[in-house]
Amino acid sequence: MDFLPPKNDFVFKRLFGDAQNTDILLAFLNSMLTDVGKAPLEAIELLNPNLDKQSINDKLAILDILVRSVNGDLINLEIQVINEHNMEKRTVFYWGELYTRQLEKGKTYTSLRRTITINILDFIYLPMNQAHSLYQIREQHSNHLLMSEMEIHFYELPKLKKIKIKQRTPLQWWGLFLQGIQKDQAEEFRMHDPMMKKAVDVLETLSQDKESRLLYDAREKAIHDEVSRLEYAQLQGRSEGEAIGEARGEARGRIEGIAQSIHHLWQKRFGKMSKKDEKALHTASSEALDHILDQMLEPQYTVEQARRDLGK
């Protein structure tokens, strides 16, 4: 069985955002920080380890990973496979939200800790040749750093080239891993270091898990639908920002997306849907669809139970 691609955001979240894999996450974060001369983190706490199954089918969902270091630094990590051409503004916006959220009532500005945003991109976005870029606020003439609390990282995976094993940096090892590995490459990555070995082992286990593959398929379909919608919006002469704003505001679009995911999973688990089942699917309430989608991922859920739930 082939390995699932780690750059799929669902797989990425299961791999690095699981409380049992914080050592893998720490190794990856430290490879990112040390690559630009920053001190490595000693320990981290995962602040959002849970994965909401409903978000798998939300085309615009952000399956990010939020971390706090032992000294209070906040880190937000996410992977993006769709270029929505708004990375600068959305990145600064989310960084600002995370930074200002620290200032609770009664606290002073001195309590604000370093806040790091890391964007891993599966597309080329920035004009520089290097794959890893770090942005901070600096004075234009003297290059004086205004504040050390702000760090925004971009890691563009397509800019990674084939690099000889002996010449790879720790971050390049992780970048090549995220691009996806084949069965015949697994041992090469396992031999790099213990954390990379664990990452490959976890990925192999995920790839062999039936539920994980169903969720991966559902997420890939949601992403594909979003790419198609953006392309259509461009053809119609509408801006992507307008299309995204409209998509966020359309509740019906969410319901249809869930129905499509159920149809997709139904065919994989139970075979082709009858016309009667399809009609019931498209007239079911949002509550019923949410319930069915959640249950569809349980191995003991039967087609008879699904039909009963459709009629509720």
mmCIF file with all atom_site columns, all heavy atoms in Angstrom, residues 150-165:
data_model
loop_
_atom_site.group_PDB
_atom_site.id
_atom_site.type_symbol
_atom_site.label_atom_id
_atom_site.label_alt_id
_atom_site.label_comp_id
_atom_site.label_asym_id
_atom_site.label_entity_id
_atom_site.label_seq_id
_atom_site.pdbx_PDB_ins_code
_atom_site.Cartn_x
_atom_site.Cartn_y
_atom_site.Cartn_z
_atom_site.occupancy
_atom_site.B_iso_or_equiv
_atom_site.pdbx_formal_charge
_atom_site.auth_seq_id
_atom_site.auth_comp_id
_atom_site.auth_asym_id
_atom_site.auth_atom_id
_atom_site.pdbx_PDB_model_num
ATOM 1   N N   . MET A 1 150 ? 7.956  39.020 16.682 1.00 0.00 ? 150 MET A N   1
ATOM 2   C CA  . MET A 1 150 ? 7.268  38.681 15.435 1.00 0.00 ? 150 MET A CA  1
ATOM 3   C C   . MET A 1 150 ? 8.160  37.860 14.520 1.00 0.00 ? 150 MET A C   1
ATOM 4   O O   . MET A 1 150 ? 9.250  38.281 14.155 1.00 0.00 ? 150 MET A O   1
ATOM 5   C CB  . MET A 1 150 ? 6.814  39.938 14.701 1.00 0.00 ? 150 MET A CB  1
ATOM 6   C CG  . MET A 1 150 ? 6.067  39.655 13.406 1.00 0.00 ? 150 MET A CG  1
ATOM 7   S SD  . MET A 1 150 ? 5.606  41.177 12.537 1.00 0.00 ? 150 MET A SD  1
ATOM 8   C CE  . MET A 1 150 ? 4.430  40.522 11.345 1.00 0.00 ? 150 MET A CE  1
ATOM 9   N N   . GLU A 1 151 ? 7.675  36.675 14.127 1.00 0.00 ? 151 GLU A N   1
ATOM 10  C CA  . GLU A 1 151 ? 8.363  35.846 13.143 1.00 0.00 ? 151 GLU A CA  1
ATOM 11  C C   . GLU A 1 151 ? 7.317  35.223 12.227 1.00 0.00 ? 151 GLU A C   1
ATOM 12  O O   . GLU A 1 151 ? 6.370  34.594 12.695 1.00 0.00 ? 151 GLU A O   1
ATOM 13  C CB  . GLU A 1 151 ? 9.174  34.725 13.810 1.00 0.00 ? 151 GLU A CB  1
ATOM 14  C CG  . GLU A 1 151 ? 10.442 35.185 14.493 1.00 0.00 ? 151 GLU A CG  1
ATOM 15  C CD  . GLU A 1 151 ? 11.286 34.023 14.983 1.00 0.00 ? 151 GLU A CD  1
ATOM 16  O OE1 . GLU A 1 151 ? 11.176 32.919 14.396 1.00 0.00 ? 151 GLU A OE1 1
ATOM 17  O OE2 . GLU A 1 151 ? 12.037 34.201 15.950 1.00 0.00 ? 151 GLU A OE2 1
ATOM 18  N N   . ILE A 1 152 ? 7.492  35.415 10.937 1.00 0.00 ? 152 ILE A N   1
ATOM 19  C CA  . ILE A 1 152 ? 6.616  34.793 9.948  1.00 0.00 ? 152 ILE A CA  1
ATOM 20  C C   . ILE A 1 152 ? 7.484  34.010 8.974  1.00 0.00 ? 152 ILE A C   1
ATOM 21  O O   . ILE A 1 152 ? 8.321  34.578 8.278  1.00 0.00 ? 152 ILE A O   1
ATOM 22  C CB  . ILE A 1 152 ? 5.761  35.843 9.205  1.00 0.00 ? 152 ILE A CB  1
ATOM 23  C CG1 . ILE A 1 152 ? 4.801  36.525 10.186 1.00 0.00 ? 152 ILE A CG1 1
ATOM 24  C CG2 . ILE A 1 152 ? 4.987  35.201 8.067  1.00 0.00 ? 152 ILE A CG2 1
ATOM 25  C CD1 . ILE A 1 152 ? 3.963  37.620 9.569  1.00 0.00 ? 152 ILE A CD1 1
ATOM 26  N N   . HIS A 1 153 ? 7.291  32.706 8.958  1.00 0.00 ? 153 HIS A N   1
ATOM 27  C CA  . HIS A 1 153 ? 8.082  31.820 8.113  1.00 0.00 ? 153 HIS A CA  1
ATOM 28  C C   . HIS A 1 153 ? 7.244  31.320 6.940  1.00 0.00 ? 153 HIS A C   1
ATOM 29  O O   . HIS A 1 153 ? 6.057  31.013 7.099  1.00 0.00 ? 153 HIS A O   1
ATOM 30  C CB  . HIS A 1 153 ? 8.564  30.596 8.899  1.00 0.00 ? 153 HIS A CB  1
ATOM 31  C CG  . HIS A 1 153 ? 9.488  30.907 10.031 1.00 0.00 ? 153 HIS A CG  1
ATOM 32  N ND1 . HIS A 1 153 ? 10.837 30.621 9.985  1.00 0.00 ? 153 HIS A ND1 1
ATOM 33  C CD2 . HIS A 1 153 ? 9.258  31.469 11.246 1.00 0.00 ? 153 HIS A CD2 1
ATOM 34  C CE1 . HIS A 1 153 ? 11.399 30.990 11.137 1.00 0.00 ? 153 HIS A CE1 1
ATOM 35  N NE2 . HIS A 1 153 ? 10.454 31.500 11.911 1.00 0.00 ? 153 HIS A NE2 1
ATOM 36  N N   . PHE A 1 154 ? 7.881  31.212 5.776  1.00 0.00 ? 154 PHE A N   1
ATOM 37  C CA  . PHE A 1 154 ? 7.305  30.549 4.615  1.00 0.00 ? 154 PHE A CA  1
ATOM 38  C C   . PHE A 1 154 ? 8.263  29.441 4.184  1.00 0.00 ? 154 PHE A C   1
ATOM 39  O O   . PHE A 1 154 ? 9.473  29.664 4.094  1.00 0.00 ? 154 PHE A O   1
ATOM 40  C CB  . PHE A 1 154 ? 7.098  31.526 3.454  1.00 0.00 ? 154 PHE A CB  1
ATOM 41  C CG  . PHE A 1 154 ? 6.024  32.544 3.672  1.00 0.00 ? 154 PHE A CG  1
ATOM 42  C CD1 . PHE A 1 154 ? 6.324  33.779 4.234  1.00 0.00 ? 154 PHE A CD1 1
ATOM 43  C CD2 . PHE A 1 154 ? 4.704  32.275 3.331  1.00 0.00 ? 154 PHE A CD2 1
ATOM 44  C CE1 . PHE A 1 154 ? 5.345  34.732 4.437  1.00 0.00 ? 154 PHE A CE1 1
ATOM 45  C CE2 . PHE A 1 154 ? 3.709  33.219 3.528  1.00 0.00 ? 154 PHE A CE2 1
ATOM 46  C CZ  . PHE A 1 154 ? 4.024  34.451 4.089  1.00 0.00 ? 154 PHE A CZ  1
ATOM 47  N N   . TYR A 1 155 ? 7.711  28.271 3.931  1.00 0.00 ? 155 TYR A N   1
ATOM 48  C CA  . TYR A 1 155 ? 8.524  27.155 3.442  1.00 0.00 ? 155 TYR A CA  1
ATOM 49  C C   . TYR A 1 155 ? 7.847  26.618 2.185  1.00 0.00 ? 155 TYR A C   1
ATOM 50  O O   . TYR A 1 155 ? 6.807  25.960 2.259  1.00 0.00 ? 155 TYR A O   1
ATOM 51  C CB  . TYR A 1 155 ? 8.641  26.076 4.516  1.00 0.00 ? 155 TYR A CB  1
ATOM 52  C CG  . TYR A 1 155 ? 9.718  25.044 4.257  1.00 0.00 ? 155 TYR A CG  1
ATOM 53  C CD1 . TYR A 1 155 ? 10.903 25.377 3.605  1.00 0.00 ? 155 TYR A CD1 1
ATOM 54  C CD2 . TYR A 1 155 ? 9.568  23.721 4.682  1.00 0.00 ? 155 TYR A CD2 1
ATOM 55  C CE1 . TYR A 1 155 ? 11.893 24.447 3.381  1.00 0.00 ? 155 TYR A CE1 1
ATOM 56  C CE2 . TYR A 1 155 ? 10.563 22.776 4.471  1.00 0.00 ? 155 TYR A CE2 1
ATOM 57  C CZ  . TYR A 1 155 ? 11.722 23.143 3.813  1.00 0.00 ? 155 TYR A CZ  1
ATOM 58  O OH  . TYR A 1 155 ? 12.710 22.205 3.589  1.00 0.00 ? 155 TYR A OH  1
ATOM 59  N N   . GLU A 1 156 ? 8.426  26.942 1.020  1.00 0.00 ? 156 GLU A N   1
ATOM 60  C CA  . GLU A 1 156 ? 7.823  26.609 -0.269 1.00 0.00 ? 156 GLU A CA  1
ATOM 61  C C   . GLU A 1 156 ? 8.392  25.279 -0.774 1.00 0.00 ? 156 GLU A C   1
ATOM 62  O O   . GLU A 1 156 ? 9.521  25.205 -1.266 1.00 0.00 ? 156 GLU A O   1
ATOM 63  C CB  . GLU A 1 156 ? 8.087  27.730 -1.264 1.00 0.00 ? 156 GLU A CB  1
ATOM 64  C CG  . GLU A 1 156 ? 7.503  29.069 -0.822 1.00 0.00 ? 156 GLU A CG  1
ATOM 65  C CD  . GLU A 1 156 ? 8.043  30.241 -1.622 1.00 0.00 ? 156 GLU A CD  1
ATOM 66  O OE1 . GLU A 1 156 ? 9.155  30.732 -1.271 1.00 0.00 ? 156 GLU A OE1 1
ATOM 67  O OE2 . GLU A 1 156 ? 7.379  30.649 -2.580 1.00 0.00 ? 156 GLU A OE2 1
ATOM 68  N N   . LEU A 1 157 ? 7.607  24.225 -0.665 1.00 0.00 ? 157 LEU A N   1
ATOM 69  C CA  . LEU A 1 157 ? 8.083  22.881 -0.983 1.00 0.00 ? 157 LEU A CA  1
ATOM 70  C C   . LEU A 1 157 ? 8.530  22.715 -2.434 1.00 0.00 ? 157 LEU A C   1
ATOM 71  O O   . LEU A 1 157 ? 9.522  22.019 -2.688 1.00 0.00 ? 157 LEU A O   1
ATOM 72  C CB  . LEU A 1 157 ? 6.994  21.853 -0.652 1.00 0.00 ? 157 LEU A CB  1
ATOM 73  C CG  . LEU A 1 157 ? 6.587  21.768 0.827  1.00 0.00 ? 157 LEU A CG  1
ATOM 74  C CD1 . LEU A 1 157 ? 5.515  20.709 1.013  1.00 0.00 ? 157 LEU A CD1 1
ATOM 75  C CD2 . LEU A 1 157 ? 7.787  21.451 1.716  1.00 0.00 ? 157 LEU A CD2 1
ATOM 76  N N   . PRO A 1 158 ? 7.858  23.331 -3.427 1.00 0.00 ? 158 PRO A N   1
ATOM 77  C CA  . PRO A 1 158 ? 8.309  23.130 -4.815 1.00 0.00 ? 158 PRO A CA  1
ATOM 78  C C   . PRO A 1 158 ? 9.707  23.680 -5.106 1.00 0.00 ? 158 PRO A C   1
ATOM 79  O O   . PRO A 1 158 ? 10.303 23.325 -6.124 1.00 0.00 ? 158 PRO A O   1
ATOM 80  C CB  . PRO A 1 158 ? 7.251  23.888 -5.643 1.00 0.00 ? 158 PRO A CB  1
ATOM 81  C CG  . PRO A 1 158 ? 6.043  23.922 -4.771 1.00 0.00 ? 158 PRO A CG  1
ATOM 82  C CD  . PRO A 1 158 ? 6.574  24.053 -3.370 1.00 0.00 ? 158 PRO A CD  1
ATOM 83  N N   . LYS A 1 159 ? 10.222 24.535 -4.227 1.00 0.00 ? 159 LYS A N   1
ATOM 84  C CA  . LYS A 1 159 ? 11.558 25.087 -4.449 1.00 0.00 ? 159 LYS A CA  1
ATOM 85  C C   . LYS A 1 159 ? 12.668 24.123 -3.994 1.00 0.00 ? 159 LYS A C   1
ATOM 86  O O   . LYS A 1 159 ? 13.852 24.383 -4.229 1.00 0.00 ? 159 LYS A O   1
ATOM 87  C CB  . LYS A 1 159 ? 11.716 26.423 -3.721 1.00 0.00 ? 159 LYS A CB  1
ATOM 88  C CG  . LYS A 1 159 ? 10.933 27.563 -4.361 1.00 0.00 ? 159 LYS A CG  1
ATOM 89  C CD  . LYS A 1 159 ? 11.154 28.879 -3.642 1.00 0.00 ? 159 LYS A CD  1
ATOM 90  C CE  . LYS A 1 159 ? 10.404 30.018 -4.313 1.00 0.00 ? 159 LYS A CE  1
ATOM 91  N NZ  . LYS A 1 159 ? 10.570 31.307 -3.593 1.00 0.00 ? 159 LYS A NZ  1
ATOM 92  N N   . LEU A 1 160 ? 12.289 23.043 -3.353 1.00 0.00 ? 160 LEU A N   1
ATOM 93  C CA  . LEU A 1 160 ? 13.288 22.059 -2.946 1.00 0.00 ? 160 LEU A CA  1
ATOM 94  C C   . LEU A 1 160 ? 13.718 21.249 -4.156 1.00 0.00 ? 160 LEU A C   1
ATOM 95  O O   . LEU A 1 160 ? 12.891 20.750 -4.915 1.00 0.00 ? 160 LEU A O   1
ATOM 96  C CB  . LEU A 1 160 ? 12.700 21.117 -1.883 1.00 0.00 ? 160 LEU A CB  1
ATOM 97  C CG  . LEU A 1 160 ? 12.529 21.695 -0.483 1.00 0.00 ? 160 LEU A CG  1
ATOM 98  C CD1 . LEU A 1 160 ? 11.758 20.720 0.395  1.00 0.00 ? 160 LEU A CD1 1
ATOM 99  C CD2 . LEU A 1 160 ? 13.874 21.997 0.142  1.00 0.00 ? 160 LEU A CD2 1
ATOM 100 N N   . LYS A 1 161 ? 14.980 21.120 -4.337 1.00 0.00 ? 161 LYS A N   1
ATOM 101 C CA  . LYS A 1 161 ? 15.514 20.341 -5.441 1.00 0.00 ? 161 LYS A CA  1
ATOM 102 C C   . LYS A 1 161 ? 16.068 19.024 -4.913 1.00 0.00 ? 161 LYS A C   1
ATOM 103 O O   . LYS A 1 161 ? 16.204 18.819 -3.707 1.00 0.00 ? 161 LYS A O   1
ATOM 104 C CB  . LYS A 1 161 ? 16.611 21.138 -6.161 1.00 0.00 ? 161 LYS A CB  1
ATOM 105 C CG  . LYS A 1 161 ? 16.122 22.466 -6.726 1.00 0.00 ? 161 LYS A CG  1
ATOM 106 C CD  . LYS A 1 161 ? 17.263 23.260 -7.336 1.00 0.00 ? 161 LYS A CD  1
ATOM 107 C CE  . LYS A 1 161 ? 16.765 24.605 -7.859 1.00 0.00 ? 161 LYS A CE  1
ATOM 108 N NZ  . LYS A 1 161 ? 17.873 25.414 -8.426 1.00 0.00 ? 161 LYS A NZ  1
ATOM 109 N N   . LYS A 1 162 ? 16.382 18.137 -5.831 1.00 0.00 ? 162 LYS A N   1
ATOM 110 C CA  . LYS A 1 162 ? 16.986 16.873 -5.430 1.00 0.00 ? 162 LYS A CA  1
ATOM 111 C C   . LYS A 1 162 ? 18.372 17.151 -4.861 1.00 0.00 ? 162 LYS A C   1
ATOM 112 O O   . LYS A 1 162 ? 19.249 17.669 -5.553 1.00 0.00 ? 162 LYS A O   1
ATOM 113 C CB  . LYS A 1 162 ? 17.074 15.925 -6.615 1.00 0.00 ? 162 LYS A CB  1
ATOM 114 C CG  . LYS A 1 162 ? 15.703 15.417 -7.080 1.00 0.00 ? 162 LYS A CG  1
ATOM 115 C CD  . LYS A 1 162 ? 15.845 14.410 -8.206 1.00 0.00 ? 162 LYS A CD  1
ATOM 116 C CE  . LYS A 1 162 ? 14.482 13.890 -8.632 1.00 0.00 ? 162 LYS A CE  1
ATOM 117 N NZ  . LYS A 1 162 ? 14.592 12.905 -9.736 1.00 0.00 ? 162 LYS A NZ  1
ATOM 118 N N   . ILE A 1 163 ? 18.535 16.825 -3.603 1.00 0.00 ? 163 ILE A N   1
ATOM 119 C CA  . ILE A 1 163 ? 19.784 17.126 -2.902 1.00 0.00 ? 163 ILE A CA  1
ATOM 120 C C   . ILE A 1 163 ? 20.409 15.808 -2.442 1.00 0.00 ? 163 ILE A C   1
ATOM 121 O O   . ILE A 1 163 ? 19.712 14.924 -1.946 1.00 0.00 ? 163 ILE A O   1
ATOM 122 C CB  . ILE A 1 163 ? 19.507 18.023 -1.669 1.00 0.00 ? 163 ILE A CB  1
ATOM 123 C CG1 . ILE A 1 163 ? 18.654 19.224 -2.091 1.00 0.00 ? 163 ILE A CG1 1
ATOM 124 C CG2 . ILE A 1 163 ? 20.794 18.480 -1.023 1.00 0.00 ? 163 ILE A CG2 1
ATOM 125 C CD1 . ILE A 1 163 ? 17.947 19.889 -0.941 1.00 0.00 ? 163 ILE A CD1 1
ATOM 126 N N   . LYS A 1 164 ? 21.698 15.686 -2.610 1.00 0.00 ? 164 LYS A N   1
ATOM 127 C CA  . LYS A 1 164 ? 22.379 14.476 -2.155 1.00 0.00 ? 164 LYS A CA  1
ATOM 128 C C   . LYS A 1 164 ? 22.203 14.310 -0.654 1.00 0.00 ? 164 LYS A C   1
ATOM 129 O O   . LYS A 1 164 ? 22.179 15.287 0.093  1.00 0.00 ? 164 LYS A O   1
ATOM 130 C CB  . LYS A 1 164 ? 23.864 14.548 -2.519 1.00 0.00 ? 164 LYS A CB  1
ATOM 131 C CG  . LYS A 1 164 ? 24.123 14.520 -4.021 1.00 0.00 ? 164 LYS A CG  1
ATOM 132 C CD  . LYS A 1 164 ? 25.615 14.589 -4.314 1.00 0.00 ? 164 LYS A CD  1
ATOM 133 C CE  . LYS A 1 164 ? 25.868 14.563 -5.823 1.00 0.00 ? 164 LYS A CE  1
ATOM 134 N NZ  . LYS A 1 164 ? 27.328 14.642 -6.130 1.00 0.00 ? 164 LYS A NZ  1
ATOM 135 N N   . ILE A 1 165 ? 22.109 13.080 -0.224 1.00 0.00 ? 165 ILE A N   1
ATOM 136 C CA  . ILE A 1 165 ? 21.826 12.777 1.183  1.00 0.00 ? 165 ILE A CA  1
ATOM 137 C C   . ILE A 1 165 ? 22.812 13.465 2.120  1.00 0.00 ? 165 ILE A C   1
ATOM 138 O O   . ILE A 1 165 ? 22.419 14.070 3.123  1.00 0.00 ? 165 ILE A O   1
ATOM 139 C CB  . ILE A 1 165 ? 21.835 11.249 1.415  1.00 0.00 ? 165 ILE A CB  1
ATOM 140 C CG1 . ILE A 1 165 ? 20.654 10.602 0.684  1.00 0.00 ? 165 ILE A CG1 1
ATOM 141 C CG2 . ILE A 1 165 ? 21.785 10.932 2.912  1.00 0.00 ? 165 ILE A CG2 1
ATOM 142 C CD1 . ILE A 1 165 ? 20.609 9.104  0.805  1.00 0.00 ? 165 ILE A CD1 1
#
